[in-house]
């Protein structure tokens, strides 16, 4: 039974015991943040961008909330010469121009053809997806994910995860009208002639950047990666050949040319300084280091026009945690989908009435 204090002032005379740091073996002595620049200078419209984490790194990486890519760029436009009117050279797009041009939803991932990871000469494959579809799947996830998780993944208002139409109301989505969702988002990326914008990016479901089923949900943490034990680790962004041809929709009569240029891409990492004893114990560990996360396996079925039923089979696959049925146009799979034909709604009506599943 604790002794009752005469008054709250009594507590001001009581001091907690001093921690004996010599006997208390701390694992982590501190955390430092590092900026890793690309292997080669980034071109304004690159074919690929690579980051190399050299072998025998000094520190383990925490892969906390601060480990992410930071992209800085600018949307620009130019006006070709017409008659006696001279050409107006490339410059940053003003906010008012959002009434004349629309940028594709989730534009950043629309530019990316794929992200490859290599340990030494070995390519790391955690997923196997149909080309050109991940942009649409990720847009769906951004749009419907928990708002708190979205704030962690998309801390900047300019993040492409916020640039996705959600409404089904006519002329309210990705539309030229003043009160549309596009016109609300556009000022975050159309900053004027001399201003650039930036956002941080964590690739969805790509380990080790994105671990577990959800990103830091309910206090979950991501596991460290012991780079001091690993060989050379390479991260490669591959960009689409038509870097700018398919992310703009122009209003009728607009003669301007538009482009997006990358000013800088860096990888920010939080690295841990470990106590000498714990570091030695950790790096001498000779066993598997299991990581939990999402493996995305996708297949494409071309539904024959006029069919009222369709059957497909997943062969030699463990029973999944979830199955996601996603309908896209045939032009998406072939890589011929053109944003200039966009109707204003990211998620359109489909003809699926019922789904049923059989196992084994």
């Amino acid at each position: 039974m604790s002794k009752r204090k005469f008054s709250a002032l009594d507590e001001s005379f009581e001091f907690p015991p001093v921690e004996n740091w010599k006997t208390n073996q701390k694992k982590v002595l501190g955390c430092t943040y590092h900026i890793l620049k690309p292997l080669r200078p980034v071109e304004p419209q690159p074919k690929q961008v690579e980051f190399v984490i050299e072998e025998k790194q000094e520190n383990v990486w925490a892969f906390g909330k601060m480990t992410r890519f930071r992209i800085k760029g600018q949307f620009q436009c130019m006006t070709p010469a017409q008659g006696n009117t001279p050409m107006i050279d490339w410059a940053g797009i003003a906010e008012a121009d959002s009434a004349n041009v629309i940028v594709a939803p989730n534009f950043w991932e629309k530019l990316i053809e794929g992200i490859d990871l290599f340990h030494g000469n070995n390519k790391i494959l955690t997923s196997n997806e149909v080309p050109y579809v991940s942009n649409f799947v990720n847009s769906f996830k951004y749009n419907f994910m928990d708002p708190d998780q979205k704030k962690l993944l998309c801390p900047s208002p300019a993040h492409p995860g916020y640039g996705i139409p959600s409404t089904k109301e006519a002329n309210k989505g990705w539309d030229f009208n003043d009160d549309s969702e596009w016109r609300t988002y556009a000022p975050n990326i159309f900053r004027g002639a001399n201003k650039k914008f930036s956002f941080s990016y964590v690739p969805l479901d790509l380990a080790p950047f994105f671990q577990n089923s959800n990103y830091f949900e309910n206090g979950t943490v991501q596991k460290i990666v012991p780079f001091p034990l690993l060989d050379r680790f390479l991260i490669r962004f591959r960009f689409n050949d038509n870097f700018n041809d398919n992310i703009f929709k122009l209003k009728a009569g607009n003669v301007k040319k538009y482009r997006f240029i990358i000013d800088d891409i860096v990888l920010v990492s939080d690295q841990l300084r470990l106590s000498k004893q714990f570091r030695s114990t950790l790096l001498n560990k000779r066993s598997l280091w299991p990581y939990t996360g999402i493996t995305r396996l996708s297949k494409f079925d071309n539904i024959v026009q006029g069919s009222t039923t369709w059957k497909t089979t997943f062969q030699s696959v463990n029973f999944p945690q979830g199955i996601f049925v996603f309908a896209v146009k045939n032009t998406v799979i072939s890589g011929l989908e053109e944003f200039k034909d966009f109707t204003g709604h990211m998620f359109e009506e489909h003809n699926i009435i019922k789904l049923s599943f059989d196992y084994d």
Side-chain angles (χ1 to χ4, degrees), residues 266-278:
V266 297
L267 173 56
V268 181
S269 65
D270 46 348
Q271 302 182 20
L272 301 177
R273 291 189 298 108
L274 305 179
S275 67
K276 185 176 181 180
Q277 181 177 352
F278 178 71

Side-chain angles (χ1 to χ4, degrees), residues 341-360:
D341 300 325
F342 189 71
T343 61
H345 301 291
M346 187 72 182
F347 311 109
E348 301 182 7
E349 298 293 336
H350 54 71
N351 295 323
I352 299 174
I353 298 175
K354 182 182 178 181
L355 296 172
S356 60
F357 299 91
D358 294 321
Y359 180 67
D360 198 19

Side-chain angles (χ1 to χ4, degrees), residues 52-338:
V52 172
I53 304 172
E54 297 294 349
E55 59 182 333
K56 309 307 178 185
Q57 277 276 307
E58 180 181 355
N59 296 326
V60 301
W61 287 31
F63 279 91
K65 299 172 186 176
M66 296 298 294
T67 299
R68 52 182 61 217
F69 297 95
R70 190 182 68 203
I71 296 95
K72 184 178 181 181
Q74 185 182 52
F75 281 99
Q76 297 181 339
C77 66
M78 65 88 69
T79 305
Q82 291 183 314
N84 296 326
T85 305
M87 180 192 76
I88 301 177
D89 205 359
W90 292 103
I93 303 176
E95 177 186 340
D97 211 16
S98 61
N100 303 308
V101 63
I102 295 176
V103 175
N106 196 10
F107 72 88
W108 174 246
E109 293 188 337
K110 198 172 184 66
L111 296 173
I112 297 174
E113 184 178 285
I115 304 177
D116 301 325
L117 305 178
F118 292 87
H119 177 229
N121 295 322
N122 299 314
K123 188 174 182 179
I124 301 173
L125 292 175
T126 59
S127 293
N128 186 10
E129 298 187 78
V130 175
Y132 306 111
V133 175
S134 62
N135 164 254
F136 292 87
V137 175
N138 289 344
S139 296
F140 181 91
K141 294 185 70 172
Y142 279 130
N143 191 67
F144 293 102
M145 69 171 48
D146 180 83
D148 290 336
Q149 179 156 134
K150 190 169 182 176
K151 289 179 182 178
L152 292 175
L153 286 165
C154 314
S156 167
H159 193 288
Y162 292 112
I164 298 170
S166 60
T167 182
K168 291 186 177 181
E169 293 186 57
N171 305 321
K172 297 289 187 179
W174 241 224
D175 192 86
F176 294 106
N177 289 342
D178 291 344
D179 58 348
S180 67
E181 290 179 314
W182 156 245
R183 297 295 297 278
T184 301
Y185 172 70
N188 297 307
I189 58 174
F190 287 0
R191 304 290 305 281
N194 300 315
K195 291 185 179 181
K196 300 178 174 64
F197 69 94
S198 64
F199 61 93
S200 63
Y201 175 62
V202 178
L204 291 182
D205 300 326
L206 179 66
F209 300 95
F210 191 113
Q211 301 178 30
N212 304 309
S213 298
N214 295 295
Y215 190 71
F216 286 95
E217 182 187 37
N218 297 328
T220 57
V221 297
Q222 300 200 150
K223 307 304 181 186
I224 62 100
V225 174
F227 281 117
L229 295 177
L230 302 183
D231 291 335
R232 186 174 187 261
F233 196 91
L234 183 140
I235 305 159
R236 175 183 295 152
F237 281 81
R238 290 181 287 107
F239 293 95
N240 291 322
D241 292 334
N242 54 341
F243 193 83
N244 285 305
D245 295 342
N246 199 25
I247 62 170
F248 298 107
K249 178 180 179 180
L250 277 60
K251 195 173 186 177
N254 187 356
V255 298
K256 293 181 180 180
K257 305 292 184 181
Y258 294 88
R259 69 182 184 182
F260 174 67
I261 63 168
I262 295 175
D263 185 67
D264 193 27
I265 305 179
V266 297
L267 173 56
V268 181
S269 65
D270 46 348
Q271 302 182 20
L272 301 177
R273 291 189 298 108
L274 305 179
S275 67
K276 185 176 181 180
Q277 181 177 352
F278 178 71
R279 185 180 189 278
S280 176
T281 301
L282 178 73
L283 299 183
N284 283 323
K285 179 180 177 181
R286 294 295 180 265
S287 61
L288 288 176
W289 299 58
Y291 293 83
T292 58
I294 297 293
T295 294
R296 291 168 35 161
L297 304 177
S298 64
K299 61 173 297 188
F300 170 67
D301 277 13
N302 189 6
I303 309 300
V304 177
Q305 188 173 4
S307 299
T308 57
T309 61
W310 191 261
K311 183 178 181 179
T312 188
T313 303
F314 296 92
Q315 298 283 5
S316 303
V317 176
N318 291 333
F319 195 84
Q321 289 182 315
I323 296 176
F324 188 46
V325 180
F326 204 76
V328 295
K329 298 176 181 178
N330 290 338
T331 52
V332 172
I333 304 298
S334 63
L336 300 176
E337 180 256 349
E338 294 187 349

